[in-house]
Amino acid sequence: MKIVRSLLVLIVTIGFAHAGGFGGPPPFTGGSPLVSGIDGTYQAVASATNLTGIFGFRIQNGVQTQASANNSWIFFVDGDIISGSVAANVSNDKVVGVLDSGLGSSLGNTGTSTGAEIFVIPGNAAAGFYNGTINLNSPIASFSGTGSLQGTPERTDQIVTVSTGSFGGDVNVTEITIPGSDFDKTDFTFRGTRLSISSIAVSGTN
């Protein structure tokens, strides 16, 4: 009997040594049962009638990074290639986000004070959203769900240029019309996985 009791004590001790009991998940890290938490680079494939594309996002220390190379989408819709930036959030077993048209992005500083400048006016842009579930018990953190893409309407924007010289600078404001998209709302489904848990962004910056 002493031998049997000793064996039972040993088995129970081994069971509690593994967090979650027999076969249970490892300790929760950042809200995820994965040892590495939810950090990593994710990518999904989207599909629908006359639509195919990919979108991806990257999470570090539990929040999405700002590296544009890791947070972008590109879809082929009705013969047009449309792209933009991705906003994403993973919370428990949910994954939700926004597909930004990118039209609000700044052109930045051209670094020139004289001469002609060329601006590309984007057309046929779109924006949308996606939501689904993610399996945090899966080694590849597979996720899937549905989303929707909507063409953006025509809009008026401004380009502000500042020229410098020996007698000060001149500020010029030019209004431009950004064409609207010529396709209607399109719903899609998506399936994706976590590609990497590396802390190094594709662009080399966080």
Side-chain angles (χ1 to χ4, degrees):
M1 290 296 295
K2 290 184 177 180
I3 295 177
V4 173
R5 290 179 180 176
S6 298
L7 288 176
L8 287 175
V9 171
L10 178 61
I11 292 173
V12 172
T13 302
I14 292 174
F16 281 107
H18 296 279
F22 297 100
F28 281 72
T29 306
S32 167
L34 296 173
V35 175
S36 56
I38 62 173
D39 287 1
T41 301
Y42 298 77
Q43 191 173 88
V45 175
S47 59
T49 302
N50 297 326
L51 179 151
T52 185
I54 58 175
F55 67 90
F57 54 90
R58 180 171 170 270
I59 295 177
Q60 184 175 6
N61 297 326
V63 296
Q64 185 181 11
T65 67
Q66 296 182 355
S68 59
N70 297 115
N71 302 287
S72 61
W73 63 274
I74 180 168
F75 285 12
F76 182 78
V77 185
D78 291 333
D80 292 317
I81 295 178
I82 308 171
S83 61
S85 59
V86 172
N89 179 265
V90 176
S91 179
N92 295 323
D93 62 343
K94 304 294 183 183
V95 55
V96 298
V98 173
L99 306 176
D100 192 345
S101 65
L103 293 181
S105 302
S106 172
L107 293 173
N109 186 352
T110 62
T112 60
S113 58
T114 59
E117 296 180 4
I118 299 176
F119 299 98
V120 177
I121 302 175
N124 225 25
F129 67 91
Y130 60 92
N131 60 70
T133 57
I134 184 169
N135 184 1
L136 295 176
N137 290 303
S138 166
I140 58 175
S142 58
F143 60 99
S144 61
T146 60
S148 183
L149 194 67
Q150 175 70 59
T152 57
E154 181 179 296
R155 56 175 285 188
T156 300
D157 211 335
Q158 293 181 334
I159 295 179
V160 180
T161 58
V162 179
S163 60
T164 59
S166 56
F167 298 102
D170 294 324
V171 178
N172 300 305
V173 179
T174 304
E175 288 194 349
I176 60 173
T177 298
I178 300 176
S181 299
D182 58 5
F183 70 91
D184 297 325
K185 175 184 176 182
T186 302
D187 297 326
F188 61 86
T189 60
F190 66 87
R191 300 184 68 88
T193 61
R194 182 170 64 173
L195 303 180
S196 171
I197 59 174
S198 173
S199 61
I200 302 176
V202 173
S203 62
T205 58
N206 292 332

